[in-house]
Every structure is written in C-alpha cells, then in structure tokens.
Amino acid sequence: MALKSYGYYALVGAASGIVGGIMVSLFLWGGWMLPALGLLLTSVSLIEGLVVVLVMTTLVGVIYGVAIREKVDSFAASVLIGVGIGFLVWGLGTLILIPLALGFPPVFANPLDHGLSLLAFLVYGISMTLLYRVWLGKKKEKWQYIVPAVVLLIGIISAPLLLRAAVTTSPGNLAVHDGYEVDVVAKNFTYPTSLTFCEEGYVYVAEAGYAYGPKETTPRLLRVDPKGGNIKEISTDFNGPINGLTYKDGMIYVSHRGKISKIDKGGGEVEDLITGLPSHGDHQNNDLLFDPDGKLYFGQGSATNAGIVGDDNYIYGWLQDYPEFHDIPPEDISLRGVNYKSQDLGEILSAEEVETGAFMPFGSRSEKGQEIKGETPGNAAIYRADPDEDYELELYAWGLRNPYGLTFSDKGELFTTVLGYDDRGPRAVEDASDFIYRVEEGGFYGWPDYVGTEPIESDIFQSDRGEELEPLLEDHPEVEEPYASFPPHFSPMKLDIAPGEFAEVGSQEKKEVPKDIGPSDIFVAVFGDGEPMTGETEDPVPAMILRLDPGTEHFYVFLENKGEKPRAGRFGQGLNRPIAVKFDPEGESLYVLDFGVFEFSDMAPNAIPRTGVLWKVTPEN
C-alpha cells in the first residue's frame, strides 16, 4: 500500500510538473531562450530545449509529490512552497548547473541578468504546486481550478508578447552631439548588419538571416526609401549571415557566408563572384568595399576565438554541424605543439575531455615543429580581388582576428575594426582590447599570439576560465601596431570617415572615452559587451556611436541613449546594438544601423527578431 501511495503521489507530481513545464516553455520560447537550453543535449535547438525543460520540470514534480504527499493543507502554503521551488530550480539550473555543464563557472556576479528565466521558473513553481493541490483531489474549491488555468493562460499570452518586442522608437530618448538631430528612417528589421546607397538615394539594408546561437531566419536584401521609410524586398537568395554590402555601377555586392556575390540594384539573379570562403565558424566573411582602382577588398574572420577549436564552439552553434572545421592559416606556419583540453559536448552529458592543437579539428593534437601550409582563402585576414582577373584572391594582410568593418580615407588608407579575443573557450583571454588598424599591404597584426603588440602569454591576459596561455606559433613576422584601441569588449563594428562639412558642425564638449590615440575623423558603431559569455565587465558597455576627433586625440561619444540605461532593451526606446555607420554619397547625413535587441541571457547569445532600426543623423538647420 505504501508503494502504491508513493507511486500515486509521484504520478500526480509528474502530471503537475509536465503542465508547469509547458507553461515555462512558453515563457522561454517567447523570450527566445528555449533553444539555448538544448545545448545540454548537444544542440542549440527549439525541440531539444523543450525536451530539457520538460524532463527537468517533470522530475521536480515527481520529487515534490513523493516528498510532500498530503502534508500541505492551505493555498498560501502551496504558493509559498512554489516560490521556493521556482527560486531553487532557477538558482541551481540557470546560475550553477547549466554554466558548469557548458564549461563556465557559476554566474553569481549578475544574477538579475537572468531575470526573465527567474520569472518563468517562479510562475512554474507556483503553477506546479497549485496543480498538484487541485489534482490530489482533497479539496475542490472553484478558485483552485481557476488559478492554475489563469497561470497557464498568462504563459500562452506572454509568448507572442515577448516574441514581438521593442516595436517603438523615439529620437527624443537619444543624446546626440551638439549641432545635430536624429530621425527614424525605418524599423522592425530582423538582424540587420549592413547598408549601402545607390545614385537614386535609396538605402539598401541587409538582414543577416543569422545571429550567434544560432538564430536563423531568412537573409534579405531590402531597399529603403529614406523619404518615406517604405521597404521593398530585393532578394533572399543568400547564405546567412550577410555581413557586408557595397555599391558600384548599378550593382549591389553582397558578402554572405562563404561567398561574395552581386545583384542588380533592382533585383534579379544573384551572381556568385567568390566562393569557398572558410566561414562555418565563429566569424565569417565580413564587410567589403572597392578601392579607387576598382579592386574589391573584404575581411575574413577567424573560425575560433584564439586559434583552438573548443567547447565554446558548441555554444556558438557550429561545431556539432561541422566537426572537422577549424582555422586555416593564410601563410605557412610552424607550430609549437601546444594543445588545450576541452569538454566534449558532442555527447549527451559527457564528461570526457579531449586535447586540441592550433589550426586543427576538434580533438586533434598538434606536434612541436609541425608545419602547416598556408591556403588561400584562409582565416583572420583581409583579401583583395581584381574584377579584371576573374576575382582571383590575393592576401592583403593577416593576423586580424575578426576584421569586421572596412573603410578608405580620402588618402587611400585602408582602415578596419578588429574585435579582440573573448574570455571563453580553452584558450580564454582576459581583458583583451578591441582595435582599429590602418592596414598595410603584407602586414601581420598578431592573431593568434598577440593582443595588439603585447604577447598573449603576458600575465594581464591570463584567465581563470581557460588554461595557461602560451604562443601557438614558432615564429612570427613583425607585428604592426594598432591605430586606435578600445577597452575590452567594446566591440567596434563598422566604421566610416566623415566628410569635412559634416564633421565641422558643433562643439567638441562631450563625454570622453578614456583612450588616447592618434588623430583621424572616424565614426564607429559600438555594439557592446556579451557578458557573461565573452567575459566579465565592471559595467555594461553602452550602445553608442563614437567619433575619433582629429583635434584632441580622443574618442568622443557622438550619439548615445539618455539616462543611465546602457541599452534600450526589449521594450525601451533608443539604441540597442549599433552595428553599422555610413555617410550618404552627398556627405549630408550619417546613417546608423541598429542590429536590435541582443542579449547574452542564460549563457548563450539571444537575438530578438524585428527589433532593428535605421536612424539618420543630420546637421541642424
């Protein structure tokens, strides 16, 4: 009889846990966090995330039923216990077990960064205990049936509300440099990354079709009328992500995963010009532009954070799909035989560790003195292609971890933004700066063994998240110096150089970013940090557009949100994640493209669709 009784209580608890699990799944799905939990079953997947939640919530329900049985007599006690269960599941799961399973330390530093999952599990705990009380059948008050139904209804209603976020924008919430004004051109973009212009004044915007995690949608090339904000779809025939656009002679040139292609500005067939780029990893082929002689330049990012394929690449969503993919050197290199340990997340709940060497597939060791031939195309480089030579690739510079934005000065100097190392993976690097480089042909810029010109084995870069840092390569060319540096995790994205008449408007009495650097009139979009995934920051890096002022050797904040909130968030109004800046052909307006809401909640990237905005900054009349 006792065994039957325990089985009965366990069954009622399991049923309560399942229904509560459905509710919490609706919350997390609406918050775009459910797929990340699928990592515990080796895949960033909606289905596997649902399985993880239902298994966990059902197990909690069984334990509750067996432990409580009929001991709770009041509604208030059930609610109180439900709150406690919600906190316990959230704390043990979100803050401790999930990070540990993914190779991270517990995330006690900023627990309220996970507030949405906390709310979800609190509602789960309450609904589970109330459902258990009702289904146990001891008391049949009507309100005890209504309350759980209302709780589930809240979950059903919340999902679409959370999916559709940040639908309003207000220039009044932005602080812009003296002498300028800001307007919204268009909004509701999904993962926009790039823009360019044609002679008729239209703005072309690319929706990437991908965000780290991964979140995949349809990559789109859109034409925007800046006068009315009307949007027309030009093409969707691309591989996400699209990371770069440029315009030349009636054609739009598109940098999308693994390819450089072109399409007529009015639409039509997409013609591939360059294929086979090594872009299945953390970073892809990025921004592109033509020099005055008509040659095409583009950046190609690294496959990994710091040259080693590791467990963090499961979290970024590609290693499970491309287990043999790794960084390819663009020049011949000789290895020191340094190998790093990683947890093999390719097996469910596996605790197995494997060793991986530089420029090797996951689980493959390197040997001291091992020679690896350079290939074209390789990773972490800038390439040049001549249309008159059938776009044959020529290595322009290398050792650039992720050269994301490109621009030319009026003197023909090539500038690029480079996102520095993250504090993640087996070769985690702490406090690594981001940079702007003035790129010289044939130059080497340090990746994977330098941060700027500082050797990576320096004490300042050693991290508790990974193993001891050692150089990977036997010998290095001379390392070129950065043109400008940013504090860690600023994430400077695309950049442009202001025409003189635009830059001369307004005074320079504005909040400074404390970095002394050489002069040039560069505007750059600051995407901000990815804490806790990419490393810890003392304060969140705010969304902003920075200007490197030629008269003071400082970066100044040109555009930012008003108040102390660093980013607008899901329901705020203002900047979230600026990703591109570009001046129109006349030099009269600066266009700012905001990627939209992009969180790093519960240890995984979490981008929110339809939150991107195109802004325009013009001098006041």
Side-chain angles (χ1 to χ4, degrees):
M1 182 67 181
L3 288 177
K4 284 186 177 180
S5 297
Y6 278 110
Y8 173 71
Y9 295 131
L11 184 62
V12 175
S16 303
I18 289 173
V19 175
I22 293 172
M23 184 283 307
V24 78
S25 297
L26 287 167
F27 258 87
L28 296 177
W29 173 57
W32 288 87
M33 292 186 290
L34 189 60
L37 293 175
L39 280 167
L40 296 177
L41 295 177
T42 77
S43 178
V44 182
S45 147
L46 185 68
I47 297 300
E48 294 195 3
L50 177 62
V51 170
V52 167
V53 171
L54 291 181
V55 168
M56 178 177 63
T57 55
T58 302
L59 181 60
V60 170
V62 169
I63 294 172
Y64 177 78
V66 171
I68 296 297
R69 301 186 296 282
E70 299 180 8
K71 296 178 181 179
V72 179
D73 293 326
S74 71
F75 169 78
S78 293
V79 171
L80 187 61
I81 293 173
V83 169
I85 288 174
F87 266 112
L88 183 64
V89 174
W90 173 75
L92 287 176
T94 301
L95 302 187
I96 299 176
L97 295 180
I98 291 175
L100 289 177
L102 301 178
F104 290 91
V107 290
F108 296 129
N110 296 294
L112 291 183
D113 288 346
H114 308 274
L116 189 61
S117 60
L118 170 60
L119 177 61
F121 283 111
L122 286 177
V123 178
Y124 156 73
I126 295 170
S127 64
M128 190 270 292
T129 55
L130 290 179
L131 285 167
Y132 180 83
R133 177 177 173 77
V134 168
W135 286 342
L136 201 60
K138 193 171 183 179
K139 294 185 179 180
K140 300 290 186 181
E141 293 96 335
K142 185 181 297 185
W143 53 266
Q144 289 180 305
Y145 291 96
I146 296 174
V147 171
V150 170
V151 169
L152 288 175
L153 183 62
I154 290 172
I156 294 171
I157 294 173
S158 297
L161 290 177
L162 289 169
L163 286 167
R164 183 79 166 99
V167 296
T168 59
T169 48
S170 172
N173 285 347
L174 297 179
V176 66
H177 203 293
D178 295 341
Y180 299 90
E181 58 186 11
V182 188
D183 293 297
V184 175
V185 178
K187 57 187 179 182
N188 296 331
F189 296 103
T190 294
Y191 315 154
T193 60
S194 312
L195 70 156
T196 192
F197 305 90
C198 68
E199 299 96 337
E200 292 81 5
Y202 290 115
V203 185
Y204 288 83
V205 173
E207 291 185 335
Y210 167 91
Y212 288 117
K215 298 285 186 65
E216 295 190 15
T217 57
T218 301
R220 300 199 299 167
L221 176 63
L222 307 171
R223 188 180 72 192
V224 181
D225 183 350
K227 295 180 180 179
N230 295 325
I231 299 174
K232 178 183 178 181
E233 183 178 283
I234 300 299
S235 179
T236 61
D237 193 15
F238 305 104
N239 298 328
I242 302 175
N243 280 338
L245 294 178
T246 194
Y247 176 81
K248 182 176 171 58
D249 299 333
M251 305 296 290
I252 307 293
Y253 291 77
V254 184
S255 176
H256 56 124
R257 188 193 293 267
K259 297 180 179 182
I260 307 294
S261 307
K262 70 177 181 179
I263 183 174
D264 185 87
K265 64 183 178 182
E269 185 177 350
V270 175
E271 179 185 352
D272 294 337
L273 306 174
I274 300 169
T275 59
L277 300 175
S279 295
H280 291 307
D282 289 359
H283 312 117
Q284 300 81 35
N285 43 297
N286 298 318
D287 206 7
L288 74 170
L289 78 172
F290 287 93
D291 70 10
D293 296 327
K295 293 183 178 180
L296 181 67
Y297 294 71
F298 67 91
Q300 173 65 53
S302 63
T304 63
N305 176 42
I308 303 290
V309 181
D311 42 22
D312 56 319
N313 303 125
Y314 282 107
I315 300 173
Y316 270 47
W318 62 264
L319 184 52
Q320 51 268 55
D321 295 327
Y322 302 98
E324 297 300 314
F325 191 70
H326 57 87
D327 285 296
I328 299 169
E331 294 276 20
D332 296 347
I333 59 173
S334 178
L335 301 179
R336 296 182 64 248
V338 178
N339 299 289
Y340 286 83
K341 294 180 180 178
S342 294
Q343 187 176 351
D344 186 359
L345 297 178
E347 299 294 332
I348 296 177
L349 301 178
S350 171
E352 181 182 355
E353 286 189 334
V354 299
E355 287 192 325
T356 305
F359 298 92
M360 297 282 178
F362 184 68
S364 298
R365 289 176 51 86
S366 64
E367 304 295 333
K368 184 173 178 58
Q370 183 174 353
E371 303 285 340
I372 299 183
K373 290 290 185 182
E375 298 182 26
T376 298
N379 292 97
I382 292 176
Y383 286 93
R384 178 169 62 190
D386 190 344
D388 294 333
E389 300 292 335
D390 198 26
Y391 290 95
E392 182 178 354
L393 290 181
E394 174 188 4
L395 178 64
Y396 189 77
W398 65 297
L400 297 153
R401 178 180 176 271
N402 190 25
Y404 193 76
L406 296 176
T407 193
F408 277 111
S409 72
D410 55 4
K411 298 178 182 178
E413 303 165 309
L414 178 63
F415 290 86
T416 185
T417 52
V418 174
L419 283 74
Y421 304 83
D422 293 333
D423 191 5
R424 62 175 169 90
R427 199 168 183 249
V429 184
E430 190 175 77
D431 290 335
S433 299
D434 300 322
F435 300 106
I436 291 177
Y437 284 101
R438 180 166 49 195
V439 184
E440 302 290 341
E441 185 174 359
F444 173 70
Y445 293 86
W447 188 89
D449 285 344
Y450 290 83
V451 179
T453 56
E454 187 75 23
I456 201 169
E457 63 268 27
S458 299
D459 290 343
I460 57 175
F461 304 127
Q462 301 291 336
S463 170
D464 293 336
R465 290 187 172 189
E467 297 184 54
E468 182 178 355
L469 295 173
E470 298 182 54
L472 302 177
L473 309 186
E474 286 277 16
D475 301 299
H476 305 86
E478 181 180 354
V479 181
E480 302 286 347
E481 292 188 3
Y483 184 76
S485 62
F486 299 82
H489 308 302
F490 259 52
S491 300
M493 303 304 276
K494 295 186 178 170
L495 73 171
D496 204 1
I497 295 178
E501 60 271 19
F502 186 94
E504 291 169 1
V505 176
S507 70
Q508 299 304 321
E509 295 179 2
K510 199 68 175 169
K511 183 173 68 177
E512 295 180 9
V513 174
K515 280 289 169 181
D516 294 339
I517 50 180
S520 183
D521 206 8
I522 295 175
F523 286 68
V524 60
V526 173
F527 193 83
D529 62 273
E531 187 183 21
M533 174 67 191
T534 59
E536 295 182 2
T537 56
E538 185 173 340
D539 296 302
V541 178
M544 55 188 169
I545 306 301
L546 296 182
R547 176 188 174 190
L548 175 53
D549 177 37
T552 64
E553 299 185 356
H554 286 287
F555 270 122
Y556 285 84
V557 177
F558 178 76
L559 180 66
E560 63 181 337
N561 292 323
K562 290 181 179 178
E564 298 181 358
K565 194 173 182 180
R567 293 181 279 272
R570 296 193 182 205
F571 301 103
Q573 302 185 51
L575 294 176
N576 273 297
R577 296 285 188 171
I579 196 167
V581 290
K582 190 174 285 289
F583 288 93
D584 63 13
E586 295 77 25
E588 296 176 351
S589 301
L590 173 66
Y591 284 78
V592 175
L593 190 60
D594 191 332
F595 183 88
V597 179
F598 190 65
E599 308 162 336
F600 281 79
S601 50
D602 299 329
M603 303 309 300
N606 184 31
I608 310 300
R610 295 180 61 80
T611 58
V613 180
L614 179 63
W615 306 84
K616 181 172 70 172
V617 185
T618 53
E620 293 177 339
N621 295 327

